[in-house]
Amino acid sequence: MTDAPSPKALKKAADDRIALYDALLSLRTREEVDAFLSDLCTPSELRAFAERWAVARLLDEQAQTYREIALAAGASPTTVVRVARSLKDMPHQGYRLVLDRLKKKA
Protein backbone atom coordinates (compact mmCIF):
# COMPACT_ATOMS: atom_id res chain seq x y z
CA MET A 1 0.00 0.00 0.00
CA THR A 2 1.33 3.43 -0.94
CA ASP A 3 1.30 6.21 1.59
CA ALA A 4 -0.46 9.42 0.61
CA PRO A 5 1.87 12.35 -0.08
CA SER A 6 2.54 14.56 2.89
CA PRO A 7 1.20 18.12 2.93
CA LYS A 8 4.81 19.29 2.54
CA ALA A 9 5.28 17.12 -0.57
CA LEU A 10 1.99 18.36 -2.02
CA LYS A 11 3.03 21.99 -1.42
CA LYS A 12 6.40 21.40 -3.07
CA ALA A 13 4.72 19.79 -6.11
CA ALA A 14 2.34 22.76 -6.39
CA ASP A 15 5.22 25.22 -6.08
CA ASP A 16 7.18 23.31 -8.74
CA ARG A 17 4.20 23.48 -11.13
CA ILE A 18 3.92 27.24 -10.59
CA ALA A 19 7.65 27.63 -11.28
CA LEU A 20 7.23 25.61 -14.49
CA TYR A 21 4.26 27.75 -15.57
CA ASP A 22 6.28 30.90 -14.93
CA ALA A 23 9.13 29.49 -17.01
CA LEU A 24 6.76 28.72 -19.89
CA LEU A 25 5.22 32.18 -19.69
CA SER A 26 8.68 33.75 -19.98
CA LEU A 27 9.26 32.25 -23.44
CA ARG A 28 8.80 34.69 -26.31
CA THR A 29 9.34 32.82 -29.57
CA ARG A 30 8.73 29.39 -31.07
CA GLU A 31 12.49 28.88 -31.07
CA GLU A 32 12.65 29.56 -27.33
CA VAL A 33 9.74 27.21 -26.69
CA ASP A 34 11.40 24.54 -28.81
CA ALA A 35 14.72 24.91 -26.98
CA PHE A 36 13.11 24.79 -23.54
CA LEU A 37 10.78 21.87 -24.27
CA SER A 38 13.61 19.96 -25.98
CA ASP A 39 15.62 20.25 -22.78
CA LEU A 40 12.68 19.59 -20.49
CA CYS A 41 11.03 16.65 -22.28
CA THR A 42 12.13 13.44 -23.88
CA PRO A 43 11.52 13.10 -27.61
CA SER A 44 8.67 10.68 -26.91
CA GLU A 45 7.06 13.13 -24.46
CA LEU A 46 7.22 15.88 -27.08
CA ARG A 47 5.72 13.54 -29.67
CA ALA A 48 2.91 12.67 -27.25
CA PHE A 49 2.17 16.37 -26.60
CA ALA A 50 2.15 17.13 -30.34
CA GLU A 51 -0.04 14.09 -31.01
CA ARG A 52 -2.61 15.15 -28.38
CA TRP A 53 -2.64 18.68 -29.76
CA ALA A 54 -3.18 17.34 -33.31
CA VAL A 55 -6.07 15.23 -32.01
CA ALA A 56 -7.61 18.24 -30.24
CA ARG A 57 -7.42 20.33 -33.42
CA LEU A 58 -8.96 17.56 -35.53
CA LEU A 59 -11.73 16.98 -32.99
CA ASP A 60 -12.47 20.70 -32.98
CA GLU A 61 -12.97 20.62 -36.76
CA GLN A 62 -15.72 17.99 -36.26
CA ALA A 63 -15.15 16.68 -39.79
CA GLN A 64 -13.90 13.16 -39.06
CA THR A 65 -14.78 10.11 -37.01
CA TYR A 66 -12.67 9.18 -34.00
CA ARG A 67 -11.13 6.36 -36.04
CA GLU A 68 -10.21 8.75 -38.87
CA ILE A 69 -8.73 11.20 -36.36
CA ALA A 70 -6.64 8.45 -34.78
CA LEU A 71 -5.24 7.53 -38.19
CA ALA A 72 -4.63 11.14 -39.26
CA ALA A 73 -2.88 12.06 -36.01
CA GLY A 74 -1.03 8.77 -35.61
CA ALA A 75 -2.74 8.39 -32.25
CA SER A 76 -4.42 5.51 -30.52
CA PRO A 77 -8.20 5.45 -30.28
CA THR A 78 -7.74 5.70 -26.50
CA THR A 79 -5.89 8.99 -26.93
CA VAL A 80 -8.64 10.34 -29.17
CA VAL A 81 -11.30 9.42 -26.60
CA ARG A 82 -9.25 10.93 -23.76
CA VAL A 83 -8.74 14.22 -25.61
CA ALA A 84 -12.41 14.30 -26.65
CA ARG A 85 -13.42 13.83 -23.01
CA SER A 86 -11.17 16.72 -22.00
CA LEU A 87 -12.71 18.92 -24.67
CA LYS A 88 -16.26 18.08 -23.64
CA ASP A 89 -16.37 17.23 -19.96
CA MET A 90 -13.36 18.43 -18.02
CA PRO A 91 -13.76 21.57 -15.93
CA HIS A 92 -10.39 23.15 -16.72
CA GLN A 93 -11.06 23.38 -20.51
CA GLY A 94 -7.42 24.03 -21.41
CA TYR A 95 -7.73 22.67 -24.93
CA ARG A 96 -10.85 24.77 -25.55
CA LEU A 97 -9.18 27.93 -24.24
CA VAL A 98 -6.24 27.61 -26.62
CA LEU A 99 -8.28 26.44 -29.61
CA ASP A 100 -10.62 29.41 -29.29
CA ARG A 101 -7.79 31.84 -28.69
CA LEU A 102 -5.93 30.66 -31.79
CA LYS A 103 -9.10 30.90 -33.89
CA LYS A 104 -9.53 34.54 -32.86
CA LYS A 105 -5.89 35.23 -33.68
CA ALA A 106 -6.15 33.72 -37.20
Side-chain angles (χ1 to χ4, degrees):
M1 182 169 185
T2 305
D3 293 330
S6 69
K8 185 176 181 179
L10 291 173
K11 168 97 170 74
K12 180 182 179 333
D15 290 347
D16 288 346
R17 278 193 312 276
I18 296 297
L20 174 61
Y21 303 157
D22 289 343
L24 289 166
L25 287 168
S26 77
L27 301 170
R28 294 189 179 127
T29 65
R30 286 186 181 116
E31 291 78 16
E32 289 179 356
V33 172
D34 181 60
F36 183 70
L37 291 180
S38 293
D39 286 347
L40 184 67
C41 302
T42 66
S44 63
E45 289 168 334
L46 278 175
R47 280 191 302 274
F49 288 160
E51 179 182 285
R52 289 182 209 130
W53 183 236
V55 168
R57 294 188 333 265
L58 290 167
L59 285 165
D60 190 52
E61 291 173 6
Q62 299 178 345
Q64 297 176 310
T65 67
Y66 283 15
R67 183 177 305 241
E68 291 167 334
I69 289 170
L71 287 172
S76 71
T78 303
T79 296
V80 176
V81 170
R82 187 179 314 123
V83 173
R85 188 176 326 123
S86 290
L87 274 167
K88 293 177 185 173
D89 302 329
M90 300 305 283
H92 33 77
Q93 291 294 300
Y95 286 125
R96 175 60 42 217
L97 172 73
V98 176
L99 287 164
D100 291 348
R101 192 168 286 164
L102 290 175
K103 282 180 194 174
K104 287 180 185 176
K105 188 177 178 181

